[in-house]
Amino acid sequence: MMKRFPILLTLSLLLCACGGKEPLNIPDPGPYKPLDPADLYPASVFKYGLKDLAKANGVMIGAEFTHGEYTGDDSLRVVLKRDFEAVTFGNEMKHDNIVSNTGSISFVWVDEMVRWAKDCDLKLFGHTLGWHSQQQSDYLQTLIDGAADSKAAAAAVREAHAEFVDKMVEHFDVYAWDVVNEVFSDDGAGSWRSSSNTQANYHVFLWGDYYEGGTKGFVDAAFKEAKEALQKYGKTADLYINDYNLEWNPAKLEALCKYAEGNPDVTGVGSQMHCNTDLSEDAIKNMLTRMVKTGKKVRISELDVPQGSIPTNTQADLIVTIFKLYLDIVPEAQRGGITFWGVSDKNSWLGKGKYPLLYNNAYQRKDSYLKLHAYLLERAGLEKDS
Ligand code: G3I
């Protein structure tokens, strides 16, 4: 790496002498071209990873990855070590990955990832203790079918959830948990999610159907269980309520923030931000301002930014804007961090052709990476060519 600096200097001088543009202003070469023109990068790109610059600005930066991705490509290790402080597993801590269809619990698979993440010096975020999707619905259905009556079925389901939370909290050392995920509907009125407003999907199970007080009853219970388990095992972790579309759906945002304000067991509010480049600055401002007002930690939990319909809006600009607004609006003591939902475009849950992340299919830095890097560097008051 050291050998690059003299080349870099010479190149910069040459560029200046020829009236050439600064390296960071090179146009985005697009997602597929080999991007790592190492000698065109300012020295700071090699000196600081994104995590150093995020830290220097008082925010933790994280990324999601899955088992398939970590076994598939060693470039992931390089990128995670260099650029991220925290990690979320995309699927592996979900109910249907931990609990089998007979109800037995196994951590073998996920523990391999935990060890690997520790090797990469990554802090762990727990996703998720309660959701409607990717639940072990086969097992839960056998509990219901085997119960003498509906009261016994409800008790069995509630016990299964409490046991899951207890075992998860005992087993994993994480800095925070998504205690519940996506418990509000998309109806535009901020209603709780229920069987009537939820589409059948992959391993769906509506826990709320079995709790007094419906989904709210389930959410109350989930936070209580998580808090009690932390106390029981002498652990501390932030406890989040997390949802999507908060930037587009003011009623959902309000419902989530109101709930958080009313429950002292909730210590954080999470906004997934699976958005696109059409998102306006005002929408982000409004969302973050309302979330901050709850007094809880505020986290952007699953950020990805594919291209929207307005061609002039770029991914790089929106990602920088999101970081800027987050740092401007969320006081340092309330910052729960920003996590990207994925590392390389190749493995995004959105599929091929969306390019929503910071690295191209070959794990090379995209223009969005460079612009975010430059922004965080400047905001932290660091020199780009030192
Ligand atoms: O391995 C299974 C197989 O056993 C199963 O029978 C089959 C059924 O479709 O496919 C395989 O499961 C896939 C699973 O990921 C594991 O790889 C599912 O098809 C696939 O739909 C599932 O996608 C995940 C998705 O959640 C499910 O809703 C994505 O990887 C994951 O990134 C995504 O993450 C969610 C967050 O948890 C919550 N917020 C939204 C976010 C994006 O959807």
Side-chain angles (χ1 to χ4, degrees):
M1 200 64 72
M2 295 302 290
K3 280 191 185 145
R4 282 204 176 102
F5 292 160
I7 301 171
L8 228 174
L9 270 177
T10 320
L11 192 73
S12 313
L13 287 172
L14 262 174
L15 280 171
C16 289
C18 304
K21 281 184 180 173
E22 290 208 345
L24 272 185
N25 293 334
I26 53 169
D28 184 356
Y32 278 110
K33 280 191 199 164
L35 278 187
D36 251 338
D39 296 333
L40 286 179
Y41 286 170
S44 54
V45 167
F46 299 107
K47 188 168 175 190
Y48 304 108
L50 278 183
K51 70 172 173 193
D52 307 314
L53 300 179
K55 241 187 194 168
N57 282 286
V59 64
M60 173 152 69
I61 188 168
E64 172 265 6
F65 71 93
T66 62
H67 191 268
E69 190 172 4
Y70 114 85
T71 48
D73 197 330
D74 204 46
S75 316
L76 180 67
R77 179 193 296 269
V78 175
V79 171
L80 285 174
K81 270 194 120 155
R82 181 185 68 205
D83 287 323
F84 295 98
E85 193 179 345
V87 76
T88 307
F89 299 151
N91 291 306
E92 294 73 11
M93 282 195 196
K94 290 171 180 172
H95 191 256
D96 68 356
N97 273 269
I98 301 283
V99 181
S100 77
N101 58 8
T102 60
S104 61
I105 286 183
S106 170
F107 296 112
V108 175
W109 199 22
V110 69
D111 278 351
E112 197 185 296
M113 289 175 77
V114 171
R115 276 195 296 277
W116 190 84
K118 277 197 180 142
D119 235 37
C120 294
D121 301 322
L122 293 158
K123 294 183 182 124
L124 211 55
F125 182 87
H127 174 78
T128 166
L129 295 176
W131 195 18
H132 61 278
S133 183
Q134 289 178 279
Q135 306 304 285
Q136 186 43 265
S137 43
D138 294 347
Y139 169 60
L140 295 167
Q141 196 57 47
T142 62
L143 292 180
I144 293 159
D145 295 344
D149 54 27
S150 60
K151 216 172 148 195
V157 166
R158 293 196 300 263
E159 199 181 310
H161 191 267
E163 191 195 343
F164 177 68
V165 172
D166 181 87
K167 292 270 187 292
M168 294 288 282
V169 171
E170 179 187 22
H171 189 77
F172 293 109
D173 291 321
V174 299
Y175 67 92
W177 284 104
D178 273 338
V179 176
V180 292
N181 186 42
E182 303 175 8
V183 289
F184 293 99
S185 84
D186 293 312
D187 65 0
S191 314
W192 292 99
R193 182 180 289 283
S194 69
S195 326
S196 64
N197 57 34
T198 300
Q199 284 179 337
N201 207 326
Y202 175 52
H203 279 189
V204 161
F205 187 83
L206 273 298
W207 296 89
D209 290 352
Y210 301 90
Y211 285 73
E212 243 175 71
T215 303
K216 179 179 181 300
F218 163 63
V219 176
D220 291 343
F223 275 98
K224 195 162 167 285
E225 288 160 8
K227 189 179 177 180
E228 284 175 2
L230 285 174
Q231 283 165 351
K232 179 173 164 190
Y233 297 110
K235 296 185 177 185
T236 50
D238 277 314
L239 300 178
Y240 278 86
I241 180 166
N242 187 56
D243 220 313
Y244 63 91
N245 274 2
L246 300 184
E247 64 280 15
W248 307 102
N249 186 335
K252 201 193 238 195
L253 172 68
E254 187 55 30
L256 180 139
C257 290
K258 267 223 167 85
Y259 178 80
E261 285 163 350
N263 184 345
D265 297 340
V266 178
T267 64
V269 286
S271 173
Q272 295 183 8
M273 289 201 82
H274 293 292
C275 55
N276 69 48
T277 54
D278 290 351
L279 184 62
S280 75
E281 213 173 302
D282 279 351
I284 306 165
K285 268 188 203 158
N286 292 340
M287 179 190 77
L288 290 174
T289 305
R290 179 64 186 96
M291 289 171 84
V292 165
K293 216 177 121 208
T294 61
K296 315 279 175 176
K297 292 254 179 83
V298 174
R299 173 178 147 82
I300 295 176
S301 54
E302 303 185 12
L303 182 62
D304 47 21
V305 186
Q307 187 66 40
S309 60
I310 307 165
T312 46
N313 291 0
T314 69
Q315 181 195 56
D317 288 343
L318 186 64
I319 289 177
V320 168
T321 299
I322 290 170
F323 272 77
K324 179 187 180 306
L325 293 176
Y326 184 86
L327 292 169
D328 287 350
I329 295 172
V330 184
E332 194 160 346
Q334 270 181 272
R335 289 184 197 152
I338 301 180
T339 282
F340 284 87
W341 205 245
V343 178
S344 147
D345 284 341
K346 178 171 79 166
N347 292 305
S348 164
W349 72 287
L350 290 169
K352 286 190 172 49
K354 296 286 187 181
Y355 316 117
L357 297 164
L358 293 177
Y359 309 81
N360 72 6
N361 288 6
Y363 287 91
Q364 292 161 324
R365 305 165 178 96
K366 289 165 54 179
D367 193 46
S368 305
Y369 176 102
L370 294 175
K371 286 208 170 143
L372 178 61
H373 193 283
Y375 174 73
L376 292 173
L377 187 86
E378 193 189 340
R379 190 171 172 126
L382 296 163
E383 291 293 319
K384 86 172 178 218
D385 283 319
S386 63

